[in-house]
Amino acid sequence: MSAKTLALHSLALAALALAQHATAAPLDPSRLATLEPALRPQLLQALNAGPGTALAKLDTTAPVLKAVKAATSVDTGKNPNQLLVNLQVSDELSGMMMVFVSASSPSQNQLVGSGQHLGSWPAFKGQLALRFGPYAEPGVWTVSEVWGFDVAGNTFSCTASCLTALGGNLQFTVSGSKGDTQAPTLASGKVATPVVSRSTPAKGTAAANPFVRVQLDTADTGGSGTAGGIATFCLPDESQCFSTWSENWIYAQKSSSLYGFTSLWPEIPTGSYLLKSVSLHDHGGASVTYTSTAFGGTTDFAPLFPAGSTVTIAP
């Protein structure tokens, strides 16, 4: 798994959890801005944005991006530590629902995004702010994508050649930050819910979907601190998988315990789900993925998860 994909996972999982009628993090536009393209249809499903019959005419045309222009520099050591991007986009029939912009770092290991809820406005001409933390990679960044969708669920995506053709400035310099290229490491882990009944509501509730919880203890010697982790569990034949996700917003921790979770959907197949992989990323964008030997990888999770690394989903 690439560093870019790891950085997107917390966004993707929030959208996936909603699509599966599960409890999830809020749909923060700045986080959804960098959602992996393959997962965007599930975001639309989660937001109930899809083809539907309008009162007069069905909207089958994607929004149109007319202009994009980024400012030229941002100093992360000064407030506000933001880079403004001017956008102009329109959708004359059903209207715009959301629009996003993202930028990639010089090494392509970091991705920063921003977005705006528009709620059926036919056009947007304004600015979005890309915000940078103290461990943003210094150097020349590039606006890498503008994407969005309308109320009818039609999406557009404008990347390299499309953005260049619009003629606006796409590159800017990030300064005042510290780099961290050393990935976090997994010290140990624990499956807090080794057996979960898919039909039993979460404890203390009448109907909430049951949770799977996984703790990941990590270390980061690069300086920025572990930012998040994903633990993926699959049936042995990989016909069904699910992932827990966790976030840590404290910078510069040398060791961090991540408390991951996911909410199961009622239709998930029963069976024993084996830990397939653990992915970690830090606040500097460095990332690593451990893949189990049971799924063709090189990591034996037995010593890292001494109490077991299996989740059994019961009826």
Side-chain angles (χ1 to χ4, degrees):
M1 184 178 295
S2 69
K4 176 180 177 181
T5 302
L6 274 172
L8 306 182
H9 256 67
S10 63
L11 319 180
L13 287 167
L16 286 173
L18 280 176
Q20 294 159 351
H21 309 291
T23 300
L27 290 174
D28 179 354
S30 67
R31 301 173 65 209
L32 293 175
T34 53
L35 187 63
E36 193 172 2
L39 297 173
R40 291 173 186 174
Q42 295 177 68
L43 169 61
L44 299 184
Q45 177 186 348
L47 296 174
N48 293 320
T53 302
L55 292 177
K57 180 182 178 183
L58 184 67
D59 185 355
T60 59
T61 303
V64 176
L65 179 65
K66 298 180 178 180
V68 55
K69 181 181 179 181
T72 58
S73 65
V74 57
D75 185 342
T76 64
K78 297 180 180 179
N79 286 322
N81 55 347
Q82 64 184 19
L83 188 288
L84 298 181
V85 180
N86 291 276
L87 293 179
Q88 185 176 353
V89 60
S90 65
D91 187 90
E92 298 299 332
L93 190 50
S94 63
M96 291 294 306
M97 177 65 81
M98 301 184 81
V99 64
F100 306 99
V101 61
S102 60
S104 55
S105 68
S107 68
Q108 305 294 312
N109 285 331
Q110 293 185 18
L111 209 58
V112 171
S114 183
Q116 179 75 43
H117 291 280
L118 294 172
S120 82
W121 281 91
F124 174 76
K125 184 178 182 181
Q127 296 176 319
L128 297 183
L130 299 174
R131 293 182 170 86
F132 295 84
Y135 292 94
E137 183 180 342
V140 178
W141 287 57
T142 303
V143 175
S144 52
E145 184 180 21
V146 177
W147 76 281
F149 52 93
D150 61 21
V151 174
N154 303 300
T155 64
F156 78 95
S157 172
C158 184
T159 55
S161 59
C162 169
L163 291 169
T164 300
L166 292 173
N169 177 60
L170 301 175
Q171 293 192 319
F172 55 92
T173 301
V174 173
S175 62
S177 56
K178 308 170 184 178
D180 177 7
T181 59
Q182 189 167 342
T185 56
L186 177 65
S188 63
K190 179 182 179 181
V191 177
T193 52
V195 179
V196 179
S197 169
R198 68 180 185 181
S199 61
T200 302
K203 187 181 296 185
T205 73
N209 292 340
F211 284 88
V212 172
R213 302 192 305 273
V214 176
Q215 179 177 332
L216 302 176
D217 296 317
T218 71
D220 186 75
T221 59
S224 65
T226 305
I230 310 296
T232 298
F233 295 80
C234 295
L235 292 173
D237 62 0
E238 297 186 76
S239 60
Q240 182 68 59
C241 301
F242 66 85
S243 296
T244 65
W245 68 282
S246 55
E247 295 177 311
N248 175 34
W249 291 103
I250 302 175
Y251 289 118
Q253 285 185 320
K254 293 182 179 180
S255 61
S256 305
S257 291
L258 306 177
Y259 298 95
F261 69 93
T262 192
S263 181
L264 298 177
W265 59 103
E267 300 83 8
I268 186 172
T270 58
S272 293
Y273 287 72
L274 311 180
L275 179 59
K276 177 182 179 181
S277 65
V278 171
S279 300
L280 303 172
H281 63 279
D282 64 22
H283 290 288
S287 61
V288 64
T289 297
Y290 300 85
T291 302
S292 170
T293 53
F295 293 92
T298 59
T299 301
D300 178 6
F301 282 118
L304 294 170
F305 286 75
S309 58
T310 298
V311 175
T312 299
I313 307 299

